[in-house]
Amino acid sequence: MANPYLSCKLCPRNCGINRLNGEIGYCGETAHLRIATAVIHKGEEPVLVGTGGSGTIFISGCNLGCVFCQNYQISQGAGKEQALGKAVTPEEFAGICAALRDAGAENINIVTGSHAVPGIIEGICAARKAGVQLPVLWNSSGYDGIEALELLGEHVDIYLPDMKTLDSKVSAEFFNAPDYPQTAKAAILKMIDNMEKKHENARERIIVRHLILPGFLESTRSVLKWFADNAMEHATLSLMTQYTPVLGLSPGHSPGRSPKIPKRYVSESDYETVMKWLEEFGIEEGFCQELVTGSDWLPDFKRSNPFPSKLSVPVWTGN
């Protein structure tokens, strides 16, 4: 089988470039696996945090293009500069996983790695060989390629995808991906299929996240309706209210884009409306954030601990 980086079509962008030769795709990355930071994260869903926290590894680069990305320092390069992070070998990746385990992590939580699947699989295999047996969590934007998910199938124990929107106009304006709705639906169904082939009770191992965008509640309604009709029996919903009006899009990432992002937080009225929809669609189980306002919790990946100390403990940094 040819190396997937040779003519990269790992994600729906289908760049087709030779990342092995150092060419850079939409994701901003070559074939080198680069990691920005690794922390014990205590701000995930309670079932993922447990008592020890989630062992979160933030992968540099991203195949989406969210204009209000809170992790833009590591997901998007500034002009021709790459996003923050350091290239690691599979053995170094395994060492990071071992350090997270030794720090008490409940799992290995790989964030935004859709563009780096082959390198991540090599790292996971090296970690297993080194004796790290923690469950692996795939934490993605939902913009995953089916072939990449096929490769990941035997290596992932928990899926944590986003379903950001099912409105192609919203996904085009805010995520630079008009095909996001059909891609995310197919990806989540594939994750369900992957997990049901491995576990009898797969529902506990698939958590679908949705971030409420103020001013775009009908987009949320569509997501909830689709989830209830297609995934509720197979996955758990996690509703997030933490939208923060941060213009994360870096200069040069996508020339000509100047979308008008929502400039307010989720309101109590928004929240109450969405709660009524959960009842309407019969979504009774899952996770729901309390209303979050303010930006004190926003990460700064130029620090050794990007998050407030109450949310995370630094284990490794690529800066």
Side-chain angles (χ1 to χ4, degrees):
M1 180 179 176
N3 191 308
Y5 289 138
L6 187 60
S7 177
C8 189
K9 296 181 180 178
L10 280 169
C11 86
R13 299 288 178 188
N14 290 319
C15 293
I17 53 102
N18 186 349
R19 291 169 64 184
L20 292 172
N21 278 352
E23 294 179 28
I24 294 175
Y26 179 94
C27 61
E29 299 296 318
T30 67
H32 294 295
L33 174 61
R34 295 194 315 122
I35 297 176
T37 193
V39 302
I40 299 292
H41 199 352
K42 301 175 183 178
E44 305 282 46
E45 286 78 0
V47 69
L48 304 177
V49 171
T51 58
S54 184
T56 309
I57 299 176
F58 289 88
I59 307 298
S60 297
C62 184
N63 66 337
L64 214 50
C66 304
V67 293
F68 41 76
C69 180
Q70 294 157 0
N71 296 348
Y72 70 93
Q73 293 166 312
I74 66 172
S75 66
Q76 305 169 7
K80 295 183 179 180
E81 296 179 12
Q82 280 190 303
L84 296 175
K86 178 182 178 182
V88 299
T89 65
E91 292 71 28
E92 289 171 327
F93 183 95
I96 294 169
C97 292
L100 289 166
R101 175 200 61 194
D102 295 345
E106 303 276 347
N107 46 59
I108 301 299
N109 180 349
I110 300 173
V111 180
T112 324
S114 303
H115 58 288
V117 168
I120 290 169
I121 289 175
E122 288 183 352
I124 292 171
C125 291
R128 296 296 190 226
K129 187 176 180 180
V132 180
Q133 299 302 323
L134 294 176
V136 171
L137 195 164
W138 189 250
N139 185 339
S140 85
S141 68
Y143 201 55
D144 293 284
I146 298 300
E147 291 184 11
L149 291 174
E150 285 276 8
L151 295 173
L152 283 168
E154 65 181 280
H155 303 285
V156 171
D157 303 289
I158 303 167
Y159 289 102
L160 185 63
D162 291 341
M163 178 166 268
K164 295 180 181 294
T165 184
L166 293 179
D167 185 326
S168 60
K169 292 182 179 179
V170 171
S171 65
E173 182 171 8
F174 294 141
F175 311 126
N176 206 16
D179 62 335
Y180 180 89
Q182 59 264 39
T183 298
K185 286 189 288 187
I188 289 170
L189 293 176
K190 178 60 179 174
M191 293 176 192
I192 290 171
D193 181 61
N194 278 358
M195 196 54 64
E196 290 186 341
K197 288 178 180 177
K198 294 173 63 174
H199 295 281
E200 200 168 295
N201 189 2
R203 188 172 183 272
E204 297 178 354
R205 296 172 177 268
I206 305 168
I207 301 173
V208 179
R209 283 176 166 175
H210 174 69
L211 175 68
I212 301 169
L213 294 182
F216 294 87
L217 288 196
E218 285 302 316
S219 175
T220 289
R221 181 178 173 83
S222 297
V223 168
L224 297 182
K225 179 70 165 59
W226 183 89
F227 180 85
D229 291 344
N230 298 276
M232 186 166 61
E233 300 301 319
H234 310 277
T236 302
L237 180 70
S238 180
L239 200 58
M240 306 177 73
T241 63
Q242 67 184 39
Y243 172 80
T244 305
V246 174
L247 186 59
L249 183 68
S250 59
H253 186 67
S254 185
R257 286 180 74 205
S258 55
K260 297 177 181 179
I261 69 169
K263 295 182 179 180
R264 64 173 177 85
Y265 299 100
V266 175
S267 68
E268 289 188 14
S269 175
D270 295 335
Y271 188 81
E272 290 171 2
T273 297
V274 173
M275 292 303 104
K276 290 177 182 177
W277 289 342
L278 290 177
E279 183 177 350
E280 176 185 343
F281 296 133
I283 304 173
E284 299 177 348
E285 299 179 15
F287 307 96
C288 186
Q289 278 185 331
E290 296 179 358
L291 280 178
V292 177
T293 57
S295 58
D296 291 345
W297 62 274
L298 286 175
D300 181 355
F301 288 93
K302 294 181 180 180
R303 301 188 312 225
S304 60
N305 187 2
F307 299 92
S309 57
K310 65 180 179 180
L311 286 179
S312 74
V313 178
V315 171
W316 183 94
T317 181
N319 296 336

